[in-house]
Amino acid sequence: EVLASVRKTGRFLMAEEVNRPGCLYDTLCALLEEQQIPAVTRSLSLGDGYTPHGSCADLLRERQHREPQEELQDPFRSQDHR
C-alpha cells in the first residue's frame, strides 16, 4: 500500500520515533529506488543524537534546561534527501 501511494502522489514522508541510522525510512527509500519509483522523500525522526530516557519528571526538568527547538517546517519545501 505504501508503494501504491508513492506511485500515485510522488511523495513519501516517514515520521518515526527512532534515531536516524538504520531506520525504516532508509529501507523504504532503498525499495523505492529498487522499484524505480521516483519520489520526493522526507524523514522526520529523532536524528543522529542522543535519545533521553527517564521518568516524566526527569525528562521535563532536562527539557527546561535546554534551548527551545526550532519550529517544524514543511518537509517538502527543502531539497530531496535521497
Side-chain angles (χ1 to χ4, degrees), residues 20-67:
R20 178 83 167 96
C23 66
L24 183 58
Y25 170 81
D26 290 340
T27 303
L28 289 173
C29 282
L31 183 59
L32 290 173
E33 285 191 34
E34 180 181 296
Q35 297 287 319
Q36 298 180 356
I37 301 171
V40 175
T41 65
R42 298 289 179 271
S43 172
L44 300 174
S45 67
L46 299 176
D48 295 329
Y50 167 75
T51 304
H53 295 82
S55 69
C56 289
D58 290 339
L59 294 173
L60 287 172
R61 265 193 305 279
E62 181 180 325
R63 183 176 182 180
Q64 290 173 348
H65 295 288
R66 289 183 290 169
E67 293 186 29

mmCIF file of all heavy atoms in Angstrom, residues 20-67:
data_model
loop_
_atom_site.group_PDB
_atom_site.id
_atom_site.type_symbol
_atom_site.label_atom_id
_atom_site.label_comp_id
_atom_site.label_asym_id
_atom_site.label_seq_id
_atom_site.Cartn_x
_atom_site.Cartn_y
_atom_site.Cartn_z
ATOM 1 N N ARG A 20 17.923 8.111 13.477
ATOM 2 C CA ARG A 20 18.014 8.036 12.019
ATOM 3 C C ARG A 20 18.772 6.829 11.465
ATOM 4 O O ARG A 20 18.278 6.187 10.549
ATOM 5 C CB ARG A 20 18.637 9.346 11.511
ATOM 6 C CG ARG A 20 18.853 9.418 10.038
ATOM 7 C CD ARG A 20 17.562 9.831 9.332
ATOM 8 N NE ARG A 20 17.885 10.180 7.956
ATOM 9 C CZ ARG A 20 17.766 9.330 6.954
ATOM 10 N NH1 ARG A 20 17.341 8.119 7.147
ATOM 11 N NH2 ARG A 20 18.068 9.712 5.737
ATOM 12 N N PRO A 21 19.954 6.500 11.950
ATOM 13 C CA PRO A 21 20.710 5.406 11.321
ATOM 14 C C PRO A 21 19.963 4.071 11.369
ATOM 15 O O PRO A 21 19.510 3.636 12.418
ATOM 16 C CB PRO A 21 21.998 5.333 12.147
ATOM 17 C CG PRO A 21 22.122 6.671 12.786
ATOM 18 C CD PRO A 21 20.708 7.133 13.028
ATOM 19 N N GLY A 22 19.786 3.461 10.209
ATOM 20 C CA GLY A 22 19.156 2.142 10.138
ATOM 21 C C GLY A 22 17.657 2.137 10.309
ATOM 22 O O GLY A 22 17.060 1.095 10.577
ATOM 23 N N CYS A 23 17.011 3.287 10.139
ATOM 24 C CA CYS A 23 15.562 3.353 10.364
ATOM 25 C C CYS A 23 14.785 2.796 9.167
ATOM 26 O O CYS A 23 15.340 2.505 8.109
ATOM 27 C CB CYS A 23 15.146 4.784 10.654
ATOM 28 S SG CYS A 23 15.372 5.908 9.263
ATOM 29 N N LEU A 24 13.491 2.648 9.340
ATOM 30 C CA LEU A 24 12.615 2.125 8.297
ATOM 31 C C LEU A 24 12.637 3.019 7.059
ATOM 32 O O LEU A 24 12.542 2.538 5.930
ATOM 33 C CB LEU A 24 11.189 1.979 8.830
ATOM 34 C CG LEU A 24 10.155 1.374 7.898
ATOM 35 C CD1 LEU A 24 10.574 -0.013 7.444
ATOM 36 C CD2 LEU A 24 8.801 1.328 8.572
ATOM 37 N N TYR A 25 12.787 4.323 7.255
ATOM 38 C CA TYR A 25 12.860 5.268 6.135
ATOM 39 C C TYR A 25 13.953 4.859 5.157
ATOM 40 O O TYR A 25 13.739 4.841 3.946
ATOM 41 C CB TYR A 25 13.100 6.679 6.674
ATOM 42 C CG TYR A 25 13.426 7.708 5.618
ATOM 43 C CD1 TYR A 25 12.402 8.291 4.874
ATOM 44 C CD2 TYR A 25 14.730 8.109 5.376
ATOM 45 C CE1 TYR A 25 12.684 9.239 3.905
ATOM 46 C CE2 TYR A 25 15.024 9.057 4.418
ATOM 47 C CZ TYR A 25 13.996 9.623 3.687
ATOM 48 O OH TYR A 25 14.278 10.561 2.735
ATOM 49 N N ASP A 26 15.137 4.551 5.668
ATOM 50 C CA ASP A 26 16.247 4.152 4.803
ATOM 51 C C ASP A 26 15.895 2.904 3.990
ATOM 52 O O ASP A 26 16.188 2.816 2.801
ATOM 53 C CB ASP A 26 17.510 3.885 5.619
ATOM 54 C CG ASP A 26 18.104 5.151 6.204
ATOM 55 O OD1 ASP A 26 17.803 6.248 5.695
ATOM 56 O OD2 ASP A 26 18.873 5.043 7.178
ATOM 57 N N THR A 27 15.266 1.952 4.641
ATOM 58 C CA THR A 27 14.879 0.707 3.970
ATOM 59 C C THR A 27 13.853 0.972 2.871
ATOM 60 O O THR A 27 13.959 0.440 1.760
ATOM 61 C CB THR A 27 14.303 -0.290 4.997
ATOM 62 O OG1 THR A 27 15.276 -0.517 6.007
ATOM 63 C CG2 THR A 27 13.913 -1.603 4.345
ATOM 64 N N LEU A 28 12.847 1.801 3.167
ATOM 65 C CA LEU A 28 11.814 2.082 2.171
ATOM 66 C C LEU A 28 12.349 2.923 1.014
ATOM 67 O O LEU A 28 11.944 2.727 -0.136
ATOM 68 C CB LEU A 28 10.608 2.749 2.830
ATOM 69 C CG LEU A 28 9.799 1.799 3.722
ATOM 70 C CD1 LEU A 28 8.715 2.563 4.482
ATOM 71 C CD2 LEU A 28 9.168 0.691 2.895
ATOM 72 N N CYS A 29 13.274 3.833 1.278
ATOM 73 C CA CYS A 29 13.891 4.597 0.180
ATOM 74 C C CYS A 29 14.676 3.669 -0.743
ATOM 75 O O CYS A 29 14.651 3.838 -1.965
ATOM 76 C CB CYS A 29 14.792 5.699 0.733
ATOM 77 S SG CYS A 29 13.859 7.117 1.319
ATOM 78 N N ALA A 30 15.356 2.705 -0.170
ATOM 79 C CA ALA A 30 16.087 1.726 -0.986
ATOM 80 C C ALA A 30 15.105 0.929 -1.851
ATOM 81 O O ALA A 30 15.384 0.653 -3.025
ATOM 82 C CB ALA A 30 16.902 0.795 -0.097
ATOM 83 N N LEU A 31 13.966 0.573 -1.278
ATOM 84 C CA LEU A 31 12.949 -0.159 -2.038
ATOM 85 C C LEU A 31 12.388 0.700 -3.167
ATOM 86 O O LEU A 31 12.171 0.205 -4.280
ATOM 87 C CB LEU A 31 11.823 -0.627 -1.110
ATOM 88 C CG LEU A 31 10.727 -1.466 -1.736
ATOM 89 C CD1 LEU A 31 11.293 -2.744 -2.354
ATOM 90 C CD2 LEU A 31 9.675 -1.803 -0.697
ATOM 91 N N LEU A 32 12.167 1.983 -2.908
ATOM 92 C CA LEU A 32 11.685 2.886 -3.958
ATOM 93 C C LEU A 32 12.683 2.944 -5.114
ATOM 94 O O LEU A 32 12.291 2.911 -6.285
ATOM 95 C CB LEU A 32 11.451 4.290 -3.398
ATOM 96 C CG LEU A 32 10.276 4.464 -2.441
ATOM 97 C CD1 LEU A 32 10.284 5.860 -1.836
ATOM 98 C CD2 LEU A 32 8.955 4.185 -3.143
ATOM 99 N N GLU A 33 13.948 3.029 -4.787
ATOM 100 C CA GLU A 33 14.974 3.046 -5.836
ATOM 101 C C GLU A 33 15.011 1.724 -6.598
ATOM 102 O O GLU A 33 15.107 1.710 -7.824
ATOM 103 C CB GLU A 33 16.341 3.350 -5.232
ATOM 104 C CG GLU A 33 16.491 4.810 -4.868
ATOM 105 C CD GLU A 33 17.910 5.175 -4.511
ATOM 106 O OE1 GLU A 33 18.846 4.603 -5.106
ATOM 107 O OE2 GLU A 33 18.075 6.029 -3.630
ATOM 108 N N GLU A 34 14.922 0.630 -5.859
ATOM 109 C CA GLU A 34 14.950 -0.696 -6.490
ATOM 110 C C GLU A 34 13.776 -0.869 -7.448
ATOM 111 O O GLU A 34 13.924 -1.432 -8.531
ATOM 112 C CB GLU A 34 14.895 -1.765 -5.396
ATOM 113 C CG GLU A 34 14.927 -3.180 -5.895
ATOM 114 C CD GLU A 34 14.838 -4.160 -4.739
ATOM 115 O OE1 GLU A 34 15.765 -4.175 -3.907
ATOM 116 O OE2 GLU A 34 13.824 -4.884 -4.670
ATOM 117 N N GLN A 35 12.606 -0.368 -7.044
ATOM 118 C CA GLN A 35 11.399 -0.473 -7.874
ATOM 119 C C GLN A 35 11.326 0.645 -8.920
ATOM 120 O O GLN A 35 10.357 0.724 -9.667
ATOM 121 C CB GLN A 35 10.147 -0.422 -6.985
ATOM 122 C CG GLN A 35 10.029 -1.557 -5.999
ATOM 123 C CD GLN A 35 9.657 -2.849 -6.675
ATOM 124 O OE1 GLN A 35 8.821 -2.868 -7.572
ATOM 125 N NE2 GLN A 35 10.276 -3.937 -6.260
ATOM 126 N N GLN A 36 12.323 1.534 -8.930
ATOM 127 C CA GLN A 36 12.392 2.672 -9.848
ATOM 128 C C GLN A 36 11.150 3.549 -9.761
ATOM 129 O O GLN A 36 10.559 3.935 -10.771
ATOM 130 C CB GLN A 36 12.639 2.196 -11.277
ATOM 131 C CG GLN A 36 13.959 1.464 -11.422
ATOM 132 C CD GLN A 36 14.212 0.981 -12.826
ATOM 133 O OE1 GLN A 36 13.387 1.108 -13.725
ATOM 134 N NE2 GLN A 36 15.391 0.416 -13.039
ATOM 135 N N ILE A 37 10.763 3.851 -8.531
ATOM 136 C CA ILE A 37 9.614 4.723 -8.276
ATOM 137 C C ILE A 37 10.162 6.100 -7.908
ATOM 138 O O ILE A 37 10.745 6.278 -6.837
ATOM 139 C CB ILE A 37 8.735 4.176 -7.128
ATOM 140 C CG1 ILE A 37 8.217 2.785 -7.474
ATOM 141 C CG2 ILE A 37 7.581 5.130 -6.846
ATOM 142 C CD1 ILE A 37 7.519 2.079 -6.324
ATOM 143 N N PRO A 38 9.999 7.103 -8.788
ATOM 144 C CA PRO A 38 10.501 8.434 -8.470
ATOM 145 C C PRO A 38 9.644 9.088 -7.391
ATOM 146 O O PRO A 38 8.416 8.993 -7.421
ATOM 147 C CB PRO A 38 10.383 9.184 -9.804
ATOM 148 C CG PRO A 38 9.309 8.471 -10.552
ATOM 149 C CD PRO A 38 9.347 7.038 -10.097
ATOM 150 N N ALA A 39 10.294 9.722 -6.443
ATOM 151 C CA ALA A 39 9.546 10.364 -5.359
ATOM 152 C C ALA A 39 10.401 11.392 -4.650
ATOM 153 O O ALA A 39 11.614 11.242 -4.547
ATOM 154 C CB ALA A 39 9.070 9.312 -4.353
ATOM 155 N N VAL A 40 9.735 12.426 -4.154
ATOM 156 C CA VAL A 40 10.348 13.361 -3.222
ATOM 157 C C VAL A 40 10.174 12.717 -1.855
ATOM 158 O O VAL A 40 9.057 12.361 -1.471
ATOM 159 C CB VAL A 40 9.644 14.736 -3.266
ATOM 160 C CG1 VAL A 40 10.206 15.651 -2.202
ATOM 161 C CG2 VAL A 40 9.770 15.352 -4.640
ATOM 162 N N THR A 41 11.270 12.536 -1.131
ATOM 163 C CA THR A 41 11.178 11.847 0.155
ATOM 164 C C THR A 41 11.674 12.731 1.291
ATOM 165 O O THR A 41 12.573 13.550 1.101
ATOM 166 C CB THR A 41 12.005 10.545 0.151
ATOM 167 O OG1 THR A 41 13.382 10.870 0.012
ATOM 168 C CG2 THR A 41 11.576 9.624 -0.981
ATOM 169 N N ARG A 42 11.079 12.559 2.456
ATOM 170 C CA ARG A 42 11.485 13.273 3.659
ATOM 171 C C ARG A 42 11.343 12.346 4.856
ATOM 172 O O ARG A 42 10.461 11.494 4.898
ATOM 173 C CB ARG A 42 10.619 14.509 3.923
ATOM 174 C CG ARG A 42 10.694 15.553 2.845
ATOM 175 C CD ARG A 42 12.052 16.243 2.853
ATOM 176 N NE ARG A 42 12.111 17.220 1.803
ATOM 177 C CZ ARG A 42 12.515 16.979 0.565
ATOM 178 N NH1 ARG A 42 12.907 15.782 0.216
ATOM 179 N NH2 ARG A 42 12.537 17.919 -0.342
ATOM 180 N N SER A 43 12.195 12.581 5.831
ATOM 181 C CA SER A 43 12.152 11.808 7.069
ATOM 182 C C SER A 43 12.114 12.765 8.253
ATOM 183 O O SER A 43 12.890 13.713 8.319
ATOM 184 C CB SER A 43 13.390 10.918 7.176
ATOM 185 O OG SER A 43 13.441 10.304 8.439
ATOM 186 N N LEU A 44 11.214 12.519 9.155
ATOM 187 C CA LEU A 44 11.171 13.231 10.432
ATOM 188 C C LEU A 44 11.428 12.183 11.504
ATOM 189 O O LEU A 44 10.635 11.268 11.688
ATOM 190 C CB LEU A 44 9.804 13.898 10.651
ATOM 191 C CG LEU A 44 9.381 14.917 9.609
ATOM 192 C CD1 LEU A 44 7.957 15.376 9.861
ATOM 193 C CD2 LEU A 44 10.318 16.111 9.627
ATOM 194 N N SER A 45 12.569 12.298 12.171
ATOM 195 C CA SER A 45 12.927 11.304 13.181
ATOM 196 C C SER A 45 13.661 11.998 14.317
ATOM 197 O O SER A 45 13.750 13.221 14.351
ATOM 198 C CB SER A 45 13.809 10.211 12.560
ATOM 199 O OG SER A 45 15.071 10.753 12.196
ATOM 200 N N LEU A 46 14.204 11.210 15.211
ATOM 201 C CA LEU A 46 14.947 11.768 16.333
ATOM 202 C C LEU A 46 16.355 12.187 15.936
ATOM 203 O O LEU A 46 17.101 12.697 16.751
ATOM 204 C CB LEU A 46 15.002 10.752 17.481
ATOM 205 C CG LEU A 46 13.639 10.365 18.044
ATOM 206 C CD1 LEU A 46 13.798 9.289 19.099
ATOM 207 C CD2 LEU A 46 12.918 11.566 18.610
ATOM 208 N N GLY A 47 16.722 11.950 14.688
ATOM 209 C CA GLY A 47 18.023 12.378 14.204
ATOM 210 C C GLY A 47 19.137 11.437 14.631
ATOM 211 O O GLY A 47 18.913 10.280 14.962
ATOM 212 N N ASP A 48 20.344 11.959 14.608
ATOM 213 C CA ASP A 48 21.519 11.158 14.927
ATOM 214 C C ASP A 48 21.927 11.271 16.395
ATOM 215 O O ASP A 48 22.859 10.627 16.828
ATOM 216 C CB ASP A 48 22.709 11.602 14.064
ATOM 217 C CG ASP A 48 22.467 11.325 12.593
ATOM 218 O OD1 ASP A 48 21.767 10.352 12.291
ATOM 219 O OD2 ASP A 48 22.971 12.097 11.771
ATOM 220 N N GLY A 49 21.247 12.095 17.137
ATOM 221 C CA GLY A 49 21.678 12.397 18.502
ATOM 222 C C GLY A 49 21.210 11.422 19.559
ATOM 223 O O GLY A 49 20.655 10.361 19.283
ATOM 224 N N TYR A 50 21.408 11.824 20.775
ATOM 225 C CA TYR A 50 21.059 11.061 21.966
ATOM 226 C C TYR A 50 19.554 11.108 22.204
ATOM 227 O O TYR A 50 18.932 12.157 22.079
ATOM 228 C CB TYR A 50 21.816 11.662 23.154
ATOM 229 C CG TYR A 50 21.343 11.192 24.497
ATOM 230 C CD1 TYR A 50 21.651 9.924 24.952
ATOM 231 C CD2 TYR A 50 20.573 12.013 25.311
ATOM 232 C CE1 TYR A 50 21.216 9.476 26.185
ATOM 233 C CE2 TYR A 50 20.135 11.583 26.553
ATOM 234 C CZ TYR A 50 20.459 10.315 26.983
ATOM 235 O OH TYR A 50 20.018 9.885 28.192
ATOM 236 N N THR A 51 18.967 9.980 22.567
ATOM 237 C CA THR A 51 17.561 9.907 22.926
ATOM 238 C C THR A 51 17.457 9.812 24.441
ATOM 239 O O THR A 51 17.860 8.803 25.023
ATOM 240 C CB THR A 51 16.885 8.672 22.287
ATOM 241 O OG1 THR A 51 17.079 8.728 20.885
ATOM 242 C CG2 THR A 51 15.415 8.637 22.603
ATOM 243 N N PRO A 52 16.963 10.870 25.104
ATOM 244 C CA PRO A 52 16.902 10.843 26.571
ATOM 245 C C PRO A 52 15.874 9.838 27.082
ATOM 246 O O PRO A 52 14.849 9.603 26.442
ATOM 247 C CB PRO A 52 16.501 12.273 26.935
ATOM 248 C CG PRO A 52 15.878 12.844 25.726
ATOM 249 C CD PRO A 52 16.459 12.116 24.549
ATOM 250 N N HIS A 53 16.185 9.252 28.231
ATOM 251 C CA HIS A 53 15.286 8.311 28.890
ATOM 252 C C HIS A 53 15.149 8.727 30.350
ATOM 253 O O HIS A 53 16.036 9.354 30.906
ATOM 254 C CB HIS A 53 15.846 6.883 28.824
ATOM 255 C CG HIS A 53 15.924 6.339 27.443
ATOM 256 N ND1 HIS A 53 16.963 6.635 26.589
ATOM 257 C CD2 HIS A 53 15.088 5.542 26.749
ATOM 258 C CE1 HIS A 53 16.772 6.040 25.442
ATOM 259 N NE2 HIS A 53 15.640 5.367 25.502
ATOM 260 N N GLY A 54 14.042 8.360 30.957
ATOM 261 C CA GLY A 54 13.853 8.644 32.368
ATOM 262 C C GLY A 54 12.388 8.832 32.689
ATOM 263 O O GLY A 54 11.513 8.669 31.843
ATOM 264 N N SER A 55 12.129 9.204 33.924
ATOM 265 C CA SER A 55 10.747 9.458 34.347
ATOM 266 C C SER A 55 10.260 10.746 33.702
ATOM 267 O O SER A 55 11.054 11.573 33.230
ATOM 268 C CB SER A 55 10.681 9.586 35.867
ATOM 269 O OG SER A 55 11.322 10.787 36.277
ATOM 270 N N CYS A 56 8.961 10.935 33.690
ATOM 271 C CA CYS A 56 8.398 12.170 33.121
ATOM 272 C C CYS A 56 8.977 13.397 33.816
ATOM 273 O O CYS A 56 9.338 14.375 33.162
ATOM 274 C CB CYS A 56 6.876 12.161 33.243
ATOM 275 S SG CYS A 56 6.078 10.982 32.142
ATOM 276 N N ALA A 57 9.079 13.345 35.124
ATOM 277 C CA ALA A 57 9.609 14.487 35.880
ATOM 278 C C ALA A 57 11.058 14.778 35.484
ATOM 279 O O ALA A 57 11.433 15.940 35.284
ATOM 280 C CB ALA A 57 9.515 14.210 37.379
ATOM 281 N N ASP A 58 11.884 13.738 35.357
ATOM 282 C CA ASP A 58 13.276 13.925 34.953
ATOM 283 C C ASP A 58 13.382 14.518 33.550
ATOM 284 O O ASP A 58 14.183 15.412 33.298
ATOM 285 C CB ASP A 58 14.043 12.602 34.998
ATOM 286 C CG ASP A 58 14.270 12.108 36.416
ATOM 287 O OD1 ASP A 58 14.209 12.926 37.357
ATOM 288 O OD2 ASP A 58 14.508 10.889 36.565
ATOM 289 N N LEU A 59 12.572 14.001 32.635
ATOM 290 C CA LEU A 59 12.613 14.492 31.259
ATOM 291 C C LEU A 59 12.150 15.943 31.166
ATOM 292 O O LEU A 59 12.716 16.739 30.413
ATOM 293 C CB LEU A 59 11.779 13.601 30.348
ATOM 294 C CG LEU A 59 12.304 12.176 30.165
ATOM 295 C CD1 LEU A 59 11.298 11.338 29.388
ATOM 296 C CD2 LEU A 59 13.652 12.177 29.479
ATOM 297 N N LEU A 60 11.125 16.302 31.934
ATOM 298 C CA LEU A 60 10.662 17.697 31.945
ATOM 299 C C LEU A 60 11.726 18.627 32.512
ATOM 300 O O LEU A 60 11.948 19.723 31.993
ATOM 301 C CB LEU A 60 9.357 17.818 32.731
ATOM 302 C CG LEU A 60 8.122 17.258 32.044
ATOM 303 C CD1 LEU A 60 6.923 17.254 32.990
ATOM 304 C CD2 LEU A 60 7.805 18.052 30.784
ATOM 305 N N ARG A 61 12.398 18.203 33.572
ATOM 306 C CA ARG A 61 13.489 19.017 34.153
ATOM 307 C C ARG A 61 14.601 19.209 33.130
ATOM 308 O O ARG A 61 15.116 20.312 32.956
ATOM 309 C CB ARG A 61 14.041 18.361 35.415
ATOM 310 C CG ARG A 61 13.432 18.863 36.702
ATOM 311 C CD ARG A 61 14.235 18.410 37.912
ATOM 312 N NE ARG A 61 14.429 16.977 37.998
ATOM 313 C CZ ARG A 61 13.539 16.111 38.478
ATOM 314 N NH1 ARG A 61 12.378 16.538 38.925
ATOM 315 N NH2 ARG A 61 13.808 14.819 38.520
ATOM 316 N N GLU A 62 14.968 18.133 32.441
ATOM 317 C CA GLU A 62 16.027 18.213 31.436
ATOM 318 C C GLU A 62 15.629 19.146 30.297
ATOM 319 O O GLU A 62 16.427 19.944 29.827
ATOM 320 C CB GLU A 62 16.334 16.824 30.886
ATOM 321 C CG GLU A 62 17.452 16.822 29.860
ATOM 322 C CD GLU A 62 17.744 15.442 29.321
ATOM 323 O OE1 GLU A 62 17.633 14.464 30.077
ATOM 324 O OE2 GLU A 62 18.078 15.358 28.129
ATOM 325 N N ARG A 63 14.369 19.070 29.890
ATOM 326 C CA ARG A 63 13.887 19.910 28.789
ATOM 327 C C ARG A 63 13.921 21.381 29.160
ATOM 328 O O ARG A 63 14.215 22.230 28.311
ATOM 329 C CB ARG A 63 12.478 19.495 28.396
ATOM 330 C CG ARG A 63 11.954 20.263 27.220
ATOM 331 C CD ARG A 63 10.618 19.796 26.794
ATOM 332 N NE ARG A 63 10.215 20.553 25.635
ATOM 333 C CZ ARG A 63 9.087 20.381 25.018
ATOM 334 N NH1 ARG A 63 8.234 19.466 25.429
ATOM 335 N NH2 ARG A 63 8.779 21.098 23.983
ATOM 336 N N GLN A 64 13.638 21.723 30.398
ATOM 337 C CA GLN A 64 13.647 23.123 30.833
ATOM 338 C C GLN A 64 15.040 23.728 30.747
ATOM 339 O O GLN A 64 15.184 24.929 30.593
ATOM 340 C CB GLN A 64 13.110 23.241 32.256
ATOM 341 C CG GLN A 64 11.631 22.971 32.351
ATOM 342 C CD GLN A 64 11.136 22.919 33.785
ATOM 343 O OE1 GLN A 64 11.924 22.872 34.721
ATOM 344 N NE2 GLN A 64 9.823 22.916 33.950
ATOM 345 N N HIS A 65 16.071 22.903 30.816
ATOM 346 C CA HIS A 65 17.446 23.395 30.778
ATOM 347 C C HIS A 65 17.997 23.509 29.363
ATOM 348 O O HIS A 65 19.051 24.099 29.163
ATOM 349 C CB HIS A 65 18.363 22.485 31.614
ATOM 350 C CG HIS A 65 18.026 22.520 33.061
ATOM 351 N ND1 HIS A 65 18.290 23.606 33.856
ATOM 352 C CD2 HIS A 65 17.407 21.621 33.855
ATOM 353 C CE1 HIS A 65 17.868 23.373 35.086
ATOM 354 N NE2 HIS A 65 17.330 22.166 35.114
ATOM 355 N N ARG A 66 17.300 22.947 28.401
ATOM 356 C CA ARG A 66 17.758 23.030 27.006
ATOM 357 C C ARG A 66 17.175 24.262 26.346
ATOM 358 O O ARG A 66 16.148 24.792 26.756
ATOM 359 C CB ARG A 66 17.315 21.796 26.216
ATOM 360 C CG ARG A 66 18.065 20.549 26.626
ATOM 361 C CD ARG A 66 17.657 19.390 25.773
ATOM 362 N NE ARG A 66 16.277 19.040 26.134
ATOM 363 C CZ ARG A 66 15.515 18.203 25.462
ATOM 364 N NH1 ARG A 66 15.937 17.637 24.385
ATOM 365 N NH2 ARG A 66 14.293 17.935 25.865
ATOM 366 N N GLU A 67 17.799 24.693 25.258
ATOM 367 C CA GLU A 67 17.281 25.818 24.487
ATOM 368 C C GLU A 67 16.060 25.374 23.707
ATOM 369 O O GLU A 67 15.927 24.206 23.345
ATOM 370 C CB GLU A 67 18.346 26.325 23.530
ATOM 371 C CG GLU A 67 19.527 26.957 24.235
ATOM 372 C CD GLU A 67 20.496 27.565 23.252
ATOM 373 O OE1 GLU A 67 20.067 27.996 22.162
ATOM 374 O OE2 GLU A 67 21.685 27.599 23.575
#
